[in-house]
Coordinates of all heavy atoms in Angstrom, one line a residue:
S17 N -7.6 15.7 -4.3 CA -7.2 15.1 -3.0 C -8.2 14.0 -2.5 O -8.1 13.6 -1.4 CB -7.0 16.2 -1.9 OG -8.2 16.8 -1.7
G18 N -9.1 13.6 -3.4 CA -10.1 12.7 -3.0 C -9.6 11.2 -2.8 O -10.3 10.4 -2.2
L19 N -8.4 10.9 -3.3 CA -7.9 9.5 -3.2 C -6.7 9.5 -2.3 O -6.0 8.4 -2.3 CB -7.6 9.0 -4.6 CG -8.8 8.8 -5.5 CD1 -8.3 8.2 -6.9 CD2 -9.8 7.8 -4.9
V20 N -6.5 10.5 -1.5 CA -5.3 10.5 -0.6 C -5.3 9.3 0.4 O -4.3 8.7 0.7 CB -5.2 11.8 0.1 CG1 -4.0 11.8 1.1 CG2 -4.9 12.9 -0.9
D21 N -6.5 9.0 0.8 CA -6.6 7.8 1.8 C -6.5 6.5 1.1 O -6.5 5.4 1.7 CB -7.9 7.9 2.5 CG -9.2 7.8 1.6 OD1 -9.1 8.1 0.4 OD2 -10.2 7.3 2.1
R22 N -6.3 6.5 -0.2 CA -6.1 5.3 -1.0 C -4.7 5.1 -1.5 O -4.4 4.3 -2.4 CB -7.1 5.2 -2.1 CG -8.5 5.1 -1.6 CD -9.5 4.9 -2.7 NE -10.8 4.9 -2.1 CZ -11.9 4.8 -2.8 NH1 -11.8 4.8 -4.1 NH2 -13.1 4.8 -2.2
I23 N -3.8 5.9 -0.9 CA -2.4 5.8 -1.2 C -1.8 4.7 -0.3 O -2.1 4.7 0.9 CB -1.6 7.1 -1.1 CG1 -2.1 8.1 -2.2 CG2 -0.1 6.9 -1.2 CD1 -1.6 9.5 -2.1
A24 N -1.0 3.8 -0.8 CA -0.3 2.8 0.0 C 1.2 2.8 -0.3 O 1.6 3.1 -1.4 CB -0.9 1.5 -0.3
M25 N 2.0 2.6 0.7 CA 3.4 2.5 0.6 C 3.9 1.1 0.8 O 3.4 0.3 1.6 CB 4.0 3.4 1.8 CG 5.5 3.3 1.8 SD 6.2 4.3 3.2 CE 6.1 3.1 4.5
R26 N 4.8 0.7 -0.1 CA 5.4 -0.7 0.0 C 6.1 -0.8 1.4 O 6.8 0.0 1.8 CB 6.4 -0.9 -1.1 CG 6.8 -2.4 -1.2 CD 7.8 -2.7 -2.3 NE 8.9 -1.8 -2.2 CZ 9.5 -1.2 -3.3 NH1 9.0 -1.3 -4.5 NH2 10.6 -0.5 -3.1
A27 N 5.7 -1.9 2.1 CA 6.3 -2.1 3.5 C 7.7 -2.4 3.4 O 8.1 -3.3 2.7 CB 5.5 -3.2 4.2
P28 N 8.6 -1.6 4.1 CA 10.0 -2.0 4.2 C 10.2 -3.3 4.8 O 9.4 -3.8 5.7 CB 10.6 -0.9 5.1 CG 9.6 0.2 5.0 CD 8.2 -0.4 4.9
P29 N 11.2 -4.1 4.4 CA 11.5 -5.4 5.0 C 11.5 -5.3 6.5 O 12.1 -4.4 7.1 CB 12.8 -5.8 4.4 CG 13.0 -5.0 3.1 CD 12.2 -3.7 3.4
G30 N 10.9 -6.3 7.1 CA 10.9 -6.3 8.6 C 9.9 -5.5 9.3 O 9.7 -5.5 10.5
T31 N 9.1 -4.7 8.5 CA 8.1 -3.8 9.1 C 6.9 -4.6 9.6 O 6.4 -4.3 10.7 CB 7.6 -2.8 8.1 OG1 8.7 -2.1 7.6 CG2 6.6 -1.8 8.7
L32 N 6.5 -5.6 8.9 CA 5.3 -6.3 9.2 C 5.7 -7.6 10.0 O 6.6 -8.3 9.5 CB 4.4 -6.7 8.0 CG 4.0 -5.5 7.2 CD1 3.3 -5.9 5.9 CD2 3.0 -4.7 8.0
P33 N 5.1 -7.9 11.1 CA 5.5 -9.1 11.9 C 5.0 -10.4 11.2 O 4.0 -10.5 10.5 CB 4.7 -8.9 13.2 CG 3.5 -8.1 12.8 CD 4.0 -7.2 11.7
G34 N 5.9 -11.4 11.3 CA 5.5 -12.7 10.9 C 5.5 -12.9 9.4 O 5.8 -12.0 8.6
D35 N 5.2 -14.1 9.0 CA 5.0 -14.5 7.6 C 3.6 -14.3 7.2 O 2.7 -14.3 8.0 CB 5.4 -16.0 7.4 CG 6.9 -16.3 7.7 OD1 7.7 -15.3 7.5 OD2 7.2 -17.4 8.1
H36 N 3.4 -14.1 5.9 CA 2.1 -14.0 5.3 C 1.9 -15.0 4.2 O 2.8 -15.5 3.6 CB 1.8 -12.6 4.9 CG 2.8 -12.1 3.9 ND1 2.8 -12.4 2.6 CD2 3.8 -11.2 4.1 CE1 3.8 -11.8 2.0 NE2 4.4 -11.0 2.9
V37 N 0.7 -15.4 4.0 CA 0.3 -16.4 3.0 C 0.7 -16.0 1.6 O 0.7 -16.9 0.7 CB -1.2 -16.7 3.1 CG1 -2.1 -15.6 2.6 CG2 -1.6 -18.0 2.5
M38 N 1.0 -14.8 1.3 CA 1.3 -14.3 0.0 C 2.7 -14.6 -0.4 O 3.2 -14.2 -1.5 CB 0.9 -12.9 -0.2 CG -0.6 -12.6 0.0 SD -1.6 -13.6 -1.1 CE -1.3 -12.8 -2.7
G39 N 3.5 -15.2 0.4 CA 4.9 -15.6 0.1 C 5.8 -14.4 -0.1 O 5.9 -13.5 0.7
R40 N 6.4 -14.3 -1.3 CA 7.4 -13.3 -1.5 C 6.8 -12.0 -2.1 O 7.6 -11.1 -2.4 CB 8.5 -13.8 -2.4 CG 9.4 -14.8 -1.7 CD 10.5 -15.2 -2.6 NE 10.1 -16.2 -3.5 CZ 11.0 -17.0 -4.2 NH1 12.3 -16.8 -4.0 NH2 10.5 -17.9 -5.0
L41 N 5.5 -12.0 -2.4 CA 4.9 -10.7 -2.9 C 5.0 -9.6 -1.8 O 4.8 -9.9 -0.6 CB 3.5 -10.9 -3.2 CG 3.2 -11.8 -4.5 CD1 1.7 -12.0 -4.6 CD2 3.8 -11.1 -5.7
P42 N 5.4 -8.4 -2.2 CA 5.5 -7.4 -1.3 C 4.2 -6.9 -0.7 O 3.2 -6.9 -1.4 CB 6.2 -6.2 -2.0 CG 5.9 -6.5 -3.4 CD 5.7 -8.0 -3.6
A43 N 4.2 -6.6 0.5 CA 3.0 -6.0 1.2 C 3.0 -4.5 1.1 O 4.1 -3.9 1.1 CB 2.9 -6.5 2.6
Y44 N 1.9 -3.9 1.2 CA 1.8 -2.4 1.2 C 1.1 -2.0 2.5 O 0.2 -2.8 3.0 CB 1.0 -1.9 0.0 CG 1.9 -2.0 -1.3 CD1 2.0 -3.1 -2.0 CD2 2.5 -0.8 -1.7 CE1 2.8 -3.2 -3.1 CE2 3.3 -0.9 -2.8 CZ 3.5 -2.1 -3.5 OH 4.3 -2.1 -4.6
I45 N 1.4 -0.8 3.0 CA 0.8 -0.3 4.2 C -0.1 0.9 3.7 O 0.3 1.8 3.0 CB 1.8 0.3 5.2 CG1 2.8 -0.8 5.6 CG2 1.2 1.0 6.3 CD1 4.0 -0.4 6.4
S46 N -1.4 0.8 4.0 CA -2.4 1.8 3.6 C -2.2 3.1 4.3 O -1.9 3.1 5.5 CB -3.8 1.2 3.8 OG -4.7 2.2 3.4
G47 N -2.6 4.1 3.6 CA -2.6 5.5 4.2 C -3.9 5.7 5.0 O -4.1 6.7 5.7
S48 N -4.8 4.8 4.9 CA -6.1 4.9 5.6 C -6.0 4.2 7.0 O -5.6 3.1 7.1 CB -7.2 4.2 4.8 OG -8.4 4.1 5.5
A49 N -6.4 4.9 8.0 CA -6.4 4.4 9.3 C -7.4 3.2 9.5 O -7.3 2.4 10.4 CB -6.8 5.5 10.4
A50 N -8.4 3.1 8.5 CA -9.4 2.1 8.6 C -8.8 0.7 8.1 O -9.4 -0.3 8.4 CB -10.6 2.5 7.7
L51 N -7.7 0.8 7.4 CA -7.1 -0.5 6.9 C -5.8 -0.7 7.7 O -4.8 -0.1 7.4 CB -6.8 -0.4 5.4 CG -7.9 -0.5 4.5 CD1 -7.5 -0.1 3.0 CD2 -8.5 -1.9 4.5
T52 N -5.8 -1.6 8.6 CA -4.7 -1.9 9.4 C -3.9 -3.1 9.0 O -2.8 -3.3 9.3 CB -5.1 -2.1 10.9 OG1 -6.0 -3.1 11.0 CG2 -5.6 -0.8 11.5
E53 N -4.5 -4.0 8.1 CA -3.9 -5.2 7.7 C -3.1 -4.8 6.4 O -3.3 -3.8 5.7 CB -4.9 -6.3 7.3 CG -5.9 -6.0 6.2 CD -7.1 -5.3 6.7 OE1 -7.2 -4.6 7.7 OE2 -8.1 -5.3 5.9
P54 N -2.1 -5.7 6.1 CA -1.3 -5.4 4.9 C -2.1 -5.6 3.6 O -3.0 -6.4 3.6 CB -0.1 -6.5 4.9 CG -0.5 -7.4 6.0 CD -1.6 -6.8 6.8
L55 N -1.8 -4.8 2.6 CA -2.4 -4.9 1.3 C -1.5 -5.6 0.3 O -0.3 -5.4 0.4 CB -2.7 -3.5 0.8 CG -3.7 -2.6 1.5 CD1 -3.7 -1.2 0.9 CD2 -5.1 -3.2 1.4
F56 N -2.1 -6.3 -0.6 CA -1.3 -6.9 -1.7 C -1.9 -6.5 -3.0 O -3.1 -6.3 -3.1 CB -1.3 -8.4 -1.5 CG -0.6 -8.9 -0.3 CD1 -1.4 -9.1 0.9 CD2 0.7 -9.1 -0.2 CE1 -0.7 -9.5 2.1 CE2 1.4 -9.4 1.0 CZ 0.6 -9.6 2.1
I57 N -1.1 -6.4 -4.1 CA -1.6 -6.1 -5.4 C -2.4 -7.3 -5.9 O -2.0 -8.4 -5.9 CB -0.5 -5.8 -6.3 CG1 0.3 -4.5 -5.8 CG2 -1.0 -5.5 -7.8 CD1 1.5 -4.2 -6.6
D58 N -3.6 -7.0 -6.4 CA -4.6 -8.0 -6.9 C -3.9 -8.8 -8.1 O -3.1 -8.2 -8.9 CB -5.8 -7.4 -7.4 CG -6.9 -8.4 -7.8 OD1 -7.4 -9.1 -6.8 OD2 -7.2 -8.5 -9.0
A59 N -4.2 -10.1 -8.2 CA -3.7 -10.9 -9.2 C -4.0 -10.5 -10.6 O -3.2 -10.8 -11.5 CB -4.2 -12.4 -9.0
S60 N -5.0 -9.8 -10.8 CA -5.4 -9.3 -12.2 C -4.6 -8.1 -12.6 O -4.7 -7.7 -13.8 CB -6.9 -9.0 -12.2 OG -7.2 -7.9 -11.4
S61 N -3.8 -7.5 -11.8 CA -3.1 -6.3 -12.1 C -1.7 -6.6 -12.8 O -1.0 -7.5 -12.3 CB -2.8 -5.5 -10.9 OG -2.0 -4.4 -11.2
V62 N -1.4 -5.9 -13.8 CA -0.1 -6.1 -14.4 C 1.1 -5.7 -13.5 O 2.2 -6.2 -13.6 CB 0.0 -5.3 -15.8 CG1 0.0 -3.8 -15.5 CG2 1.2 -5.7 -16.6
L63 N 0.8 -4.8 -12.5 CA 1.8 -4.4 -11.6 C 2.3 -5.6 -10.6 O 3.3 -5.5 -10.0 CB 1.3 -3.3 -10.7 CG 1.2 -1.9 -11.4 CD1 0.7 -0.9 -10.4 CD2 2.5 -1.5 -12.0
R64 N 1.5 -6.6 -10.6 CA 1.8 -7.7 -9.7 C 3.0 -8.5 -10.2 O 3.8 -9.1 -9.5 CB 0.6 -8.6 -9.5 CG 0.9 -9.8 -8.5 CD -0.3 -10.4 -8.1 NE -0.1 -11.6 -7.3 CZ -1.0 -12.2 -6.6 NH1 -2.2 -11.6 -6.5 NH2 -0.7 -13.3 -5.9
T65 N 3.2 -8.5 -11.5 CA 4.3 -9.2 -12.1 C 5.5 -8.3 -12.5 O 6.5 -8.8 -13.0 CB 3.8 -10.0 -13.4 OG1 3.3 -9.0 -14.3 CG2 2.8 -11.0 -13.0
K66 N 5.4 -7.0 -12.4 CA 6.5 -6.1 -12.7 C 7.1 -5.6 -11.4 O 6.8 -6.1 -10.3 CB 5.9 -4.9 -13.5 CG 5.3 -5.4 -14.8 CD 5.2 -4.2 -15.7 CE 4.6 -4.6 -17.0 NZ 5.5 -4.6 -18.1
A67 N 8.1 -4.7 -11.6 CA 8.7 -4.1 -10.4 C 7.6 -3.5 -9.6 O 6.8 -2.7 -10.1 CB 9.7 -3.1 -10.9
H68 N 7.6 -3.7 -8.3 CA 6.6 -3.2 -7.4 C 6.9 -1.8 -7.0 O 8.0 -1.6 -6.4 CB 6.5 -4.2 -6.2 CG 6.1 -5.6 -6.6 ND1 7.1 -6.5 -6.7 CD2 5.0 -6.1 -7.0 CE1 6.6 -7.7 -7.1 NE2 5.3 -7.4 -7.3
P69 N 6.0 -0.9 -7.3 CA 6.3 0.6 -7.0 C 6.4 0.8 -5.5 O 5.7 0.1 -4.8 CB 5.1 1.3 -7.7 CG 4.0 0.3 -7.7 CD 4.7 -1.0 -7.9
P70 N 7.2 1.8 -5.1 CA 7.3 2.1 -3.7 C 5.9 2.7 -3.2 O 5.6 2.5 -2.0 CB 8.4 3.1 -3.6 CG 8.6 3.7 -5.0 CD 8.1 2.6 -5.9
F71 N 5.2 3.4 -4.0 CA 3.9 3.9 -3.6 C 2.9 3.6 -4.7 O 3.2 3.5 -5.9 CB 3.9 5.4 -3.5 CG 4.7 5.9 -2.3 CD1 6.0 6.1 -2.3 CD2 4.0 6.1 -1.1 CE1 6.7 6.5 -1.2 CE2 4.7 6.5 0.1 CZ 6.1 6.7 0.0
L72 N 1.6 3.3 -4.3 CA 0.6 3.1 -5.3 C -0.7 3.7 -4.8 O -0.9 4.0 -3.6 CB 0.4 1.6 -5.7 CG 0.1 0.6 -4.5 CD1 -1.4 0.6 -4.2 CD2 0.5 -0.7 -5.0
C73 N -1.6 3.9 -5.7 CA -3.0 4.4 -5.4 C -3.9 3.3 -5.9 O -3.7 2.7 -7.0 CB -3.3 5.7 -6.1 SG -4.8 6.4 -5.6
H74 N -4.9 2.9 -5.0 CA -5.8 1.9 -5.4 C -7.2 2.4 -5.4 O -7.6 3.4 -4.7 CB -5.7 0.7 -4.4 CG -6.0 1.0 -3.0 ND1 -7.2 1.0 -2.5 CD2 -5.1 1.3 -2.0 CE1 -7.2 1.3 -1.2 NE2 -5.9 1.5 -0.9
D75 N -8.1 1.8 -6.2 CA -9.5 2.2 -6.3 C -10.3 1.5 -5.1 O -11.1 2.2 -4.6 CB -10.0 1.7 -7.6 CG -11.5 2.1 -7.7 OD1 -11.8 3.3 -7.5 OD2 -12.3 1.3 -8.1
A76 N -10.0 0.3 -4.8 CA -10.8 -0.4 -3.8 C -10.0 -1.6 -3.2 O -8.9 -1.9 -3.7 CB -12.1 -1.0 -4.5
V77 N -10.5 -2.1 -2.1 CA -9.9 -3.3 -1.6 C -10.9 -4.4 -1.5 O -12.1 -4.2 -1.4 CB -9.3 -3.1 -0.1 CG1 -8.1 -2.1 -0.2 CG2 -10.4 -2.6 0.8
V78 N -10.4 -5.7 -1.7 CA -11.2 -6.8 -1.7 C -10.6 -7.8 -0.7 O -9.4 -8.1 -0.8 CB -11.3 -7.5 -3.1 CG1 -12.1 -8.8 -3.1 CG2 -11.9 -6.5 -4.1
R79 N -11.4 -8.4 0.2 CA -10.8 -9.4 1.1 C -11.2 -10.8 0.6 O -12.3 -11.0 0.3 CB -11.4 -9.1 2.5 CG -10.8 -7.9 3.1 CD -11.3 -7.6 4.5 NE -10.7 -6.4 5.1 CZ -11.1 -5.2 4.9 NH1 -12.1 -4.9 4.1 NH2 -10.4 -4.2 5.5
R80 N -10.1 -11.6 0.5 CA -10.3 -12.9 0.0 C -9.7 -13.9 1.0 O -8.9 -13.5 1.9 CB -9.6 -13.1 -1.4 CG -10.2 -12.2 -2.4 CD -9.6 -12.6 -3.8 NE -10.3 -11.8 -4.8 CZ -9.7 -11.0 -5.6 NH1 -8.4 -10.9 -5.7 NH2 -10.4 -10.3 -6.5
T81 N -10.0 -15.2 0.8 CA -9.4 -16.2 1.6 C -8.4 -17.0 0.8 O -8.8 -17.5 -0.3 CB -10.5 -17.1 2.2 OG1 -11.4 -16.3 3.0 CG2 -9.9 -18.2 3.1
K82 N -7.2 -17.1 1.3 CA -6.2 -17.9 0.6 C -5.6 -18.9 1.6 O -5.0 -18.4 2.6 CB -5.2 -17.0 -0.1 CG -4.1 -17.8 -0.8 CD -3.3 -16.9 -1.7 CE -2.3 -17.8 -2.4 NZ -1.8 -17.1 -3.6
H83 N -5.6 -20.1 1.4 CA -5.1 -21.2 2.3 C -5.6 -21.0 3.7 O -4.9 -21.1 4.7 CB -3.6 -21.2 2.2 CG -3.0 -21.4 0.9 ND1 -3.1 -22.5 0.2 CD2 -2.3 -20.5 0.1 CE1 -2.5 -22.4 -1.0 NE2 -2.0 -21.2 -1.1
G84 N -6.9 -20.6 3.8 CA -7.5 -20.5 5.1 C -7.3 -19.2 5.8 O -7.7 -19.0 6.9
E85 N -6.5 -18.3 5.2 CA -6.2 -17.0 5.8 C -6.9 -15.8 5.0 O -6.9 -15.9 3.8 CB -4.7 -16.7 5.9 CG -4.0 -17.6 6.8 CD -2.5 -17.2 6.9 OE1 -2.2 -16.0 6.9 OE2 -1.7 -18.1 7.0
S86 N -7.3 -14.8 5.7 CA -7.9 -13.6 5.0 C -6.7 -12.8 4.4 O -5.7 -12.5 5.1 CB -8.7 -12.8 6.0 OG -9.2 -11.7 5.4
V87 N -6.9 -12.4 3.2 CA -5.9 -11.5 2.5 C -6.6 -10.3 1.9 O -7.7 -10.5 1.3 CB -5.2 -12.3 1.4 CG1 -4.2 -11.5 0.7 CG2 -4.5 -13.6 1.9
T88 N -6.0 -9.1 2.1 CA -6.6 -7.9 1.6 C -5.9 -7.5 0.3 O -4.7 -7.3 0.3 CB -6.6 -6.8 2.6 OG1 -7.2 -7.3 3.8 CG2 -7.3 -5.6 2.1
M89 N -6.6 -7.5 -0.8 CA -6.1 -7.2 -2.1 C -6.5 -5.8 -2.5 O -7.6 -5.4 -2.4 CB -6.6 -8.2 -3.1 CG -6.4 -9.6 -2.7 SD -4.8 -10.1 -2.5 CE -4.2 -10.3 -4.1
A90 N -5.5 -5.0 -3.1 CA -5.8 -3.7 -3.6 C -6.1 -3.9 -5.1 O -5.3 -4.5 -5.8 CB -4.6 -2.8 -3.4
T91 N -7.2 -3.3 -5.6 CA -7.6 -3.5 -7.0 C -7.5 -2.2 -7.7 O -7.5 -1.1 -7.1 CB -9.0 -4.0 -7.1 OG1 -9.9 -3.1 -6.5 CG2 -9.2 -5.3 -6.3
T92 N -7.4 -2.3 -9.0 CA -7.3 -1.1 -9.9 C -6.2 -0.2 -9.3 O -6.4 0.9 -8.9 CB -8.6 -0.4 -10.1 OG1 -9.6 -1.3 -10.3 CG2 -8.5 0.6 -11.2
V93 N -4.9 -0.7 -9.4 CA -3.8 0.1 -8.8 C -3.1 0.8 -9.9 O -3.0 0.4 -11.0 CB -2.9 -0.9 -8.0 CG1 -3.5 -1.5 -6.8 CG2 -2.3 -1.9 -8.9
T94 N -2.5 1.9 -9.4 CA -1.7 2.8 -10.3 C -0.4 3.1 -9.6 O -0.5 3.5 -8.4 CB -2.5 4.1 -10.6 OG1 -3.7 3.8 -11.2 CG2 -1.7 5.0 -11.5
P95 N 0.7 3.0 -10.2 CA 2.0 3.4 -9.5 C 2.0 4.9 -9.3 O 1.4 5.7 -10.1 CB 3.1 3.0 -10.5 CG 2.4 2.8 -11.8 CD 1.0 2.5 -11.6
L96 N 2.6 5.3 -8.2 CA 2.5 6.7 -7.8 C 3.9 7.2 -7.5 O 4.6 6.6 -6.7 CB 1.6 6.9 -6.6 CG 1.3 8.2 -6.1 CD1 0.5 9.0 -7.1 CD2 0.5 8.1 -4.8
D97 N 4.4 8.2 -8.2 CA 5.7 8.8 -7.9 C 5.6 9.6 -6.6 O 4.7 10.4 -6.4 CB 6.0 9.8 -9.1 CG 7.4 10.4 -9.0 OD1 7.9 10.7 -7.9 OD2 8.0 10.6 -10.0
P98 N 6.5 9.2 -5.7 CA 6.5 9.9 -4.3 C 6.5 11.4 -4.4 O 5.9 12.1 -3.5 CB 7.7 9.4 -3.6 CG 8.1 8.1 -4.4 CD 7.6 8.3 -5.8
A99 N 7.1 12.0 -5.4 CA 7.2 13.4 -5.6 C 5.8 14.0 -5.8 O 5.6 15.2 -5.6 CB 8.1 13.8 -6.7
W100 N 4.9 13.3 -6.3 CA 3.5 13.8 -6.6 C 2.6 13.9 -5.3 O 1.6 14.6 -5.3 CB 2.8 12.9 -7.5 CG 3.4 12.7 -8.9 CD1 4.4 13.4 -9.4 CD2 3.1 11.6 -9.8 NE1 4.7 12.9 -10.7 CE2 4.0 11.8 -10.9 CE3 2.3 10.6 -9.8 CZ2 3.9 11.0 -12.0 CZ3 2.2 9.7 -10.9 CH2 3.1 9.9 -12.0
I101 N 3.0 13.2 -4.3 CA 2.1 13.0 -3.1 C 1.7 14.4 -2.5 O 0.6 14.7 -2.2 CB 2.6 12.0 -2.1 CG1 2.7 10.6 -2.7 CG2 1.8 12.0 -0.8 CD1 3.3 9.6 -1.9
A102 N 2.7 15.2 -2.3 CA 2.5 16.6 -1.7 C 1.5 17.4 -2.5 O 0.6 18.1 -2.0 CB 3.8 17.3 -1.5
T103 N 1.7 17.3 -3.9 CA 0.8 18.0 -4.8 C -0.6 17.5 -4.7 O -1.6 18.2 -4.7 CB 1.3 18.0 -6.2 OG1 2.6 18.6 -6.2 CG2 0.4 18.8 -7.1
I104 N -0.7 16.2 -4.8 CA -2.0 15.5 -4.8 C -2.8 15.8 -3.5 O -4.0 16.0 -3.5 CB -1.9 14.0 -5.0 CG1 -1.3 13.7 -6.4 CG2 -3.2 13.2 -4.8 CD1 -0.9 12.2 -6.6
A105 N -2.1 15.8 -2.4 CA -2.7 15.9 -1.1 C -2.8 17.4 -0.6 O -3.2 17.6 0.6 CB -1.9 15.1 -0.1
A106 N -2.4 18.3 -1.4 CA -2.4 19.7 -1.0 C -3.8 20.1 -0.4 O -4.8 19.8 -1.0 CB -2.1 20.6 -2.1
G107 N -3.8 20.6 0.8 CA -5.1 21.0 1.4 C -5.8 19.9 2.2 O -6.8 20.2 2.8
S108 N -5.3 18.7 2.1 CA -6.0 17.6 2.8 C -5.5 17.5 4.2 O -4.3 17.6 4.5 CB -5.6 16.3 2.0 OG -6.1 15.2 2.8
P109 N -6.4 17.2 5.1 CA -5.9 17.0 6.5 C -5.2 15.6 6.7 O -4.7 15.3 7.8 CB -7.3 17.0 7.3 CG -8.3 16.5 6.3 CD -7.8 17.1 5.0
L110 N -5.1 14.8 5.6 CA -4.5 13.5 5.7 C -3.0 13.6 5.5 O -2.3 12.6 5.7 CB -5.1 12.6 4.7 CG -6.6 12.3 4.8 CD1 -7.1 11.4 3.7 CD2 -6.9 11.6 6.2
L111 N -2.5 14.7 5.1 CA -1.0 14.9 4.9 C -0.5 16.1 5.7 O -1.1 17.2 5.6 CB -0.7 15.1 3.4 CG 0.8 15.3 3.1 CD1 1.6 14.0 3.4 CD2 0.9 15.7 1.7
R112 N 0.5 15.9 6.4 CA 1.1 17.0 7.2 C 2.6 17.1 6.7 O 3.3 16.1 6.8 CB 1.1 16.8 8.7 CG 1.7 17.8 9.5 CD 1.5 17.6 10.9 NE 1.9 16.2 11.2 CZ 1.9 15.6 12.3 NH1 1.5 16.2 13.4 NH2 2.2 14.3 12.4
L113 N 3.0 18.2 6.2 CA 4.4 18.4 5.8 C 5.2 19.0 6.9 O 4.8 19.8 7.7 CB 4.4 19.3 4.6 CG 3.7 18.8 3.3 CD1 3.7 19.9 2.2 CD2 4.2 17.5 2.8
G114 N 6.4 18.5 7.0 CA 7.3 19.0 8.0 C 8.7 18.5 7.7 O 9.0 18.0 6.6
K115 N 9.6 18.7 8.6 CA 11.0 18.2 8.4 C 11.0 16.7 8.5 O 10.3 16.1 9.2 CB 11.9 18.8 9.5 CG 12.1 20.3 9.5 CD 13.0 20.7 10.6 CE 13.1 22.2 10.5 NZ 14.0 22.7 11.6
R116 N 11.9 16.2 7.6 CA 12.0 14.7 7.6 C 12.9 14.3 8.8 O 14.0 14.9 9.0 CB 12.7 14.3 6.3 CG 12.8 12.8 6.2 CD 13.3 12.4 4.9 NE 13.4 10.9 4.9 CZ 13.3 10.2 3.9 NH1 13.1 10.8 2.7 NH2 13.3 8.9 3.9
G117 N 12.4 13.4 9.5 CA 13.1 12.9 10.7 C 13.1 11.4 10.6 O 12.7 10.8 9.7
P118 N 13.6 10.8 11.7 CA 13.6 9.3 11.7 C 12.2 8.7 11.6 O 11.3 9.3 12.2 CB 14.3 8.9 13.0 CG 14.4 10.2 13.8 CD 14.1 11.3 12.9
R119 N 12.0 7.7 10.9 CA 10.7 7.1 10.8 C 10.4 6.2 12.0 O 11.3 5.5 12.4 CB 10.6 6.2 9.5 CG 10.3 6.9 8.3 CD 9.8 6.0 7.3 NE 9.5 6.8 6.1 CZ 9.4 6.3 4.9 NH1 9.6 5.1 4.7 NH2 9.1 7.1 3.9
K120 N 9.2 6.3 12.4 CA 8.8 5.4 13.5 C 8.0 4.2 12.9 O 7.3 4.4 11.9 CB 7.8 6.1 14.5 CG 8.5 7.2 15.2 CD 7.5 7.9 16.2 CE 8.2 9.0 16.9 NZ 7.2 9.7 17.7
P121 N 8.2 3.0 13.3 CA 7.5 1.9 12.7 C 6.0 2.0 13.0 O 5.6 2.6 14.1 CB 8.1 0.6 13.4 CG 8.8 1.2 14.6 CD 9.1 2.6 14.4
P122 N 5.1 1.6 12.1 CA 3.7 1.6 12.4 C 3.3 0.8 13.6 O 4.0 -0.2 14.0 CB 3.0 1.1 11.2 CG 4.1 0.4 10.4 CD 5.4 0.9 10.9
P123 N 2.3 1.2 14.4 CA 1.9 0.5 15.6 C 1.4 -0.9 15.3 O 1.0 -1.3 14.3 CB 0.7 1.3 16.1 CG 0.3 2.3 15.1 CD 1.4 2.3 14.0

């Protein structure tokens, strides 16, 4: 459960306000409260050019400047099957299991 805070979910369309400098690349929402900005898959990753997984786990984040804007890149990413998350996070205070209800948009 050491990497639970490094799990990110692909942002559903319309979740993030405004346009971003990364164009059509999908943004991810981090599971860490410390990362409030959208994450993007680093250019060196093979996942950037393939189908973008709904969930991923990243090793680190790197902040770069692109066209004058700060962009947060997730590096060393691995696709993550959503069914694995409960097992991976068992016993962690970062995951609470309960009944599935309507999703609230992030603040």
